[in-house]
Amino acid sequence: MKLLIVEDNRDLLDTILAYLKGEGYICETAPDYREAFDKVMSYTYDVVLIDIMIPKGNGLDLLKELKSVHPQTGTIIISAKNSLDDKVSGLELGADDYLTKPFQLPELLARIKAVHRRNNLDGNEILTASEISIHTKSRDVYVHDTCVDLTPKEYDLLLYFISNKNHVLTKQTIAEHLWGDYVDHLKNLDFVYQHIKNLRKKLVEAGCGDYIESVYSVGYKFKVPGEER
């Protein structure tokens, strides 16, 4: 996967770059609007990470220009600004996700994978993992031929797990994915365990293998036998 990271904070950029390269990604960088504009107009990327506050321009303007020429490119806004208006503006312009600084690198990686997978279903609206089929347009979930009745949060959780199968997701990462910025107002993360418990029970009762593994003191992994990477 080829990424472009648009970020002017050199320390943060170096940290992100080292981490993503360590995960096997091809990464290019741009420290300001002009260089980022030249790159998105000249090359194609699987996912572009865009900071809103960049020198010589604005990240939202860059997002708009990018989507005008490469609408299928995955985009994640990363910014220290925790403004609802900025988030709404970014999403309305076509951003696939929004991540507020400071963030954990595993959370960034999980979101990159989720955005890339959503944008690369090869025209097929069905995502599968072993005996599980997720119909992303209708939001229906099947185990073999049995339709599983999931709540919206359980559906989002399952899609997130399968989009990041065989990778450990922390409780914090899962909580932020399910609740976004509102997670900061929660007293604890016990609800994560409850959602996972309910999801696991429904899948198993429908005839699915128990693929959700607890990783002691860290989080959870969705591991499907024969599909380890």
Side-chain angles (χ1 to χ4, degrees), residues 83-121:
S83 166
L84 179 61
D85 290 340
D86 287 329
K87 179 180 291 188
V88 171
S89 296
L91 296 175
E92 287 182 342
L93 288 172
D96 295 287
D97 206 345
Y98 187 109
L99 192 57
T100 303
K101 301 176 185 176
F103 51 80
Q104 299 295 317
L105 292 174
E107 165 71 357
L108 174 62
L109 177 62
R111 296 205 184 199
I112 289 172
K113 288 179 178 292
V115 165
H116 184 251
R117 188 177 294 274
R118 285 200 304 269
N119 290 352
N120 288 273
L121 293 178

Side-chain angles (χ1 to χ4, degrees), residues 14-42:
D14 288 344
T15 299
I16 294 175
L17 198 59
Y19 180 79
L20 294 179
K21 282 187 174 181
E23 293 293 325
Y25 293 103
I26 300 170
C27 301
E28 295 185 4
T29 65
D32 57 48
Y33 178 90
R34 291 179 186 173
E35 187 171 334
F37 179 82
D38 288 343
K39 287 189 173 182
V40 299
M41 291 296 142
S42 303

Side-chain angles (χ1 to χ4, degrees), residues 51-91:
D51 187 5
I52 289 180
M53 303 298 291
I54 51 176
K56 304 178 183 179
N58 182 280
L60 293 179
D61 291 334
L62 178 64
L63 171 64
K64 184 177 180 179
E65 295 292 346
L66 168 61
K67 286 298 184 178
S68 70
V69 293
H70 300 297
Q72 298 306 315
T73 298
T75 50
I76 301 176
I77 293 292
I78 53 174
S79 176
K81 296 181 67 176
N82 193 13
S83 166
L84 179 61
D85 290 340
D86 287 329
K87 179 180 291 188
V88 171
S89 296
L91 296 175

